[in-house]
Every structure is written in C-alpha cells, then in structure tokens.
C-alpha cells in the first residue's frame, strides 16, 4: 500500500502526478524534453534505453517496465533488444557509442563523482558529442529522482506485462503530456492480487 | 574543469549547465522553484534544509553549500547553519517533525525502497501530513538528481561558505530561474 493516500486507478508516477499537479507539470515537461522531443543525434529509443537501464540499476519495477516498453515501441517493437541491453549492454547489439554512454549512466547512478575523465574520453573516442554526454548524465540523474520518487512513496506497481505494453505504446506515440488512462483494479482486488 | 565544453566556464555548479542547455533548464528551474518556494505546508527554510542535507549526504559541495545558504537566508540564522546542517543540526532549533522528515529524506537518498512504514508512521505521529511526506520524498529524490547532474559533469564550485552568502540570499528571496 502506498505511504500516502494516492488515487488508486493510476500506477507508479501517474498516481503521484494526480496527487500533486503543481510538481507534476515540471516533472512531466522534463521527461518529455529529455526523452521524447526531437534530439540532434540520439534517437528516442536510445534515450529510453538509458532511462530503462538506470531504472533497472535502481531496481524500480514500474519505471523499468514502462520505459522498457516505451523503448521497445520506439525500436521496431524489438523486446529482445531491450532485454539484451538490460542483461548486459556490452554484449547487446547496440552501437559502441551507446555502450560507452550507458557506462557513464551507470557511474552517475552510483554517484555523480564516479564519472571520470577516462569515461568521458572513452565515450568521445566512440563518437559521443558534448550534448550526448550532457544528456546522458542528465537522463541518468533524473531517473535517480523518478525512481526514488516512485519507490519512496510505495506507489502501486503492477506486474501485468500487457498493461505496460499498452501504456508504452501510448507514450512512444503520443509523448508524455497526454492524459493517462485509468486502470480498472476491481479484478485485481477481487483476485486478491 | 567540466567534462564538457560549457558556453561560460565561469558559471559555477548547475548554473553553467543550465546556461549550456536551456531546453532542459526550463523544467529543472520550475521544479526547484515549485519544490522550494511554491505553496507547501513546509516553510521554505525547512525545505531548503532538506535539500541541503540530502546534497551533503550525496557529497555535492555546490548544492549543499548554496542550499544551506538559502536556508540561512530564509531563517535569518547566519551562515553558521551551513556547517550545522553537515553535523545534523545540533545547534539549530528545528521541530521533531522536521527531524522525522529528514530521516525519511535520508532513506530516500540511499534508495526509495529504504523508506519503511515505520518511518512514515513516526513522521505522522509528530504531525506530518501526506502533503509534507510527499514533498519531503520528492525534494530528497530531486536532489539526488541535481547533485548527480552537477557532479557527473565535473562542474567547479567555490570553496568557502562565505562565497555562497549572496547566492543564498538570491535563491531565497528572488527565486529560481528569475533574475
């Protein structure tokens, strides 16, 4: 059960957005800007993979599942690719540049000061630009916020893969600013879930 | 020197980053303004103490010192508050409710899942409302972002506490993203 009284029809961060619209607006504008809006070089799929990977490292079920689903829908519905990145970016079929950026993201997740000049030089040698390095650090940092927000208030985080797929398809298509759909929880409650 | 080539390398901490990328600066500033200066059951001084404490636990010198200076400006306490926050506020009179909320913030700083029902019940017993618990968790989480952003890109920061006095006054009384 959530630590505070949240609307029951919305999972994860969406219940928090309903609870406190004043903070929802900038939080949602930030994720829209980082992950969905056009980017000079990183695709939305690549940016979503960074968000998903950091959420996995923080063990945030809701964020990892929803951003994994959004990434999948940006990446030709390739669930296997998302699975491979989460299992081990080094052996996943992604660019060497994205592998280097994911290394920086993992450093940020464990602490900002962990990022070394060597990590940055390595990413640059694989072709990463300053904006890509900047955005990778900010996405990783931001998901250290979103993950803590969602887990720190013990929000409802469903296990239903089909639900994440449906929400992920919507977000990949529409971005983050459209209304979320309500989840009917009667069935879940009656089955004791 | 920062890990990337900033447009103005004289700007310290997050200031140089906000100047580098205005697209992301806009929501980051609105978030700080809303969290720390917008309507809330917690005073701005209390909220800045939470922000400065989390930043200290994350060892982010720029965010810790500047937000502690902002707390000092709100509370008119003098900048001795900066070091008192580092020590866990032994010299500052704060409510037991705020101490319980700071404990929740410390749990969030480590990982969101560390917040227990007992932590929340203890804060509630001292008068904390749902809104206050929510804002505490979100402020703590947000500073886990700001701190990593500032340190992850290797920005520079002034050393001594005194260098932050004016910045703290501006953050407290002018606001974030306003000039």
């Amino acid at each position: 059960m959530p630590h505070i009284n949240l609307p029951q029809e919305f999972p994860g961060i969406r219940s928090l957005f309903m609870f406190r619209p004043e903070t929802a607006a900038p939080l949602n504008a930030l994720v829209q800007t980082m992950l969905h809006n056009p980017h000079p070089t990183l695709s939305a799929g690549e940016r979503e993979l960074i968000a998903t990977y950091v959420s996995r490292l923080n063990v945030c079920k809701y964020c990892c599942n929803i951003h994994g689903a959004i990434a999948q829908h940006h990446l030709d519905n390739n669930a296997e690719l998302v699975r491979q990145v989460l299992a081990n970016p080094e052996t996943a079929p992604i660019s060497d540049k994205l592998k280097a950026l994911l290394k920086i993201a993992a450093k940020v997740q464990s602490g900002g000061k962990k990022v070394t000049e060597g990590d940055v030089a390595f990413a640059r040698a694989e072709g990463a630009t300053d904006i890509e390095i900047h955005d990778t650090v900010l996405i990783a940092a931001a998901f250290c916020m979103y993950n803590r927000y969602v887990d720190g208030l013990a929000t409802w985080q469903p296990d239903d893969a089909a639900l994440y797929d449906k929400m992920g398809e919507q977000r990949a298509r529409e971005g983050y600013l459209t209304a979320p759909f309500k989840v009917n929880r009667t069935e879940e409650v009656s089955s004791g879930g | 020197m920062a890990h990337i080539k900033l447009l103005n390398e004289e700007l310290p901490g997050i200031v140089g980053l906000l100047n580098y990328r205005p697209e992301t600066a806009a929501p980051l500033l609105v978030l700080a303004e809303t969290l720390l200066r917008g309507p809330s059951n917690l005073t701005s001084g209390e909220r800045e103490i939470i922000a400065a404490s989390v930043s200290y636990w994350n060892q982010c010198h720029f965010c810790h010192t500047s937000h502690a200076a902002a707390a000092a400006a709100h509370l008119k306490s003098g900048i001795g508050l900066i070091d008192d926050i580092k020590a866990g506020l032994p010299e500052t009179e704060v409510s037991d409710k705020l101490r319980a909320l700071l404990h929740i913030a410390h749990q969030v700083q480590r990982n969101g899942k560390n917040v227990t029902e007992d932590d929340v019940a203890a804060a509630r017993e001292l008068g904390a409302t749902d809104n206050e618990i929510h804002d505490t968790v979100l402020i703590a989480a947000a500073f886990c972002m700001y701190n990593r952003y500032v340190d992850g890109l290797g920005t520079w920061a002034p050393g001594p506490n005194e260098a932050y006095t004016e910045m703290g006054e501006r953050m407290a009384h002018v606001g974030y993203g306003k000039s």
Side-chain angles (χ1 to χ4, degrees), chain A residues 34 39-42 47 50 97-98 100-105 108 115-141, chain B residues 2-6 17 20-21 148-149 151-154:
Chain A
M34 291 190 305
H39 190 280
T41 45
L42 290 174
R47 287 175 280 156
I50 297 170
K97 181 182 78 180
L98 185 56
L101 292 175
L102 286 168
K103 262 191 193 149
I104 290 177
V108 171
V115 179
T116 65
E117 286 186 17
D119 298 326
V120 176
F122 181 72
R124 253 190 246 290
E126 301 290 1
T129 63
D130 270 16
I131 287 200
E132 290 173 340
I133 293 163
H134 169 278
D135 289 5
T136 297
V137 170
L138 181 55
I139 292 168
Chain B
H3 289 319
I4 57 174
K5 174 90 182 108
L6 299 175
L17 301 176
Y20 174 80
R21 195 87 159 99
R148 281 170 169 78
Y149 184 35
D151 282 336
L153 286 163

Side-chain angles (χ1 to χ4, degrees), chain B residues 126-163:
Chain B
L126 294 164
T129 63
D130 270 16
N131 271 308
E132 291 170 338
I133 293 162
H134 169 276
D135 286 8
T136 297
V137 169
L138 182 51
I139 291 168
F143 279 81
C144 289
M145 166 180 67
Y146 293 121
N147 299 163
R148 281 170 169 78
Y149 184 35
V150 163
D151 282 336
L153 286 163
T155 60
W156 79 277
N161 291 350
E162 291 71 24

Side-chain angles (χ1 to χ4, degrees), chain A residues 75-155:
Chain A
L75 299 164
D76 298 324
N77 209 17
N78 190 344
E80 178 59 15
L81 176 60
V82 176
R83 199 194 58 74
Q84 287 171 300
V85 168
L86 290 179
N88 183 2
E90 277 309 302
T91 55
I94 53 174
S95 71
D96 289 339
K97 181 182 78 180
L98 185 56
K99 288 179 188 176
L101 292 175
L102 286 168
K103 262 191 193 149
I104 290 177
K107 292 286 187 85
V108 171
Q109 186 268 337
S110 68
K113 286 195 207 346
K114 300 278 169 72
V115 179
T116 65
E117 286 186 17
D119 298 326
V120 176
F122 181 72
R124 253 190 246 290
E126 301 290 1
T129 63
D130 270 16
I131 287 200
E132 290 173 340
I133 293 163
H134 169 278
D135 289 5
T136 297
V137 170
L138 181 55
I139 292 168
F143 278 81
C144 289
M145 166 179 67
Y146 294 121
N147 298 162
R148 280 171 171 77
Y149 186 33
V150 163
D151 280 337
L153 288 161
T155 60

Side-chain angles (χ1 to χ4, degrees), chain A residues 28 35 40 43 58 68 89 95 113-114 127 129-130 149 164 174 176 190:
Chain A
N28 215 3
L35 301 183
S43 71
N58 281 323
S95 71
K113 286 195 207 346
K114 300 278 169 72
T129 63
D130 270 16
Y149 186 33
Y164 287 107
E174 298 178 0
Y176 290 91
S190 65

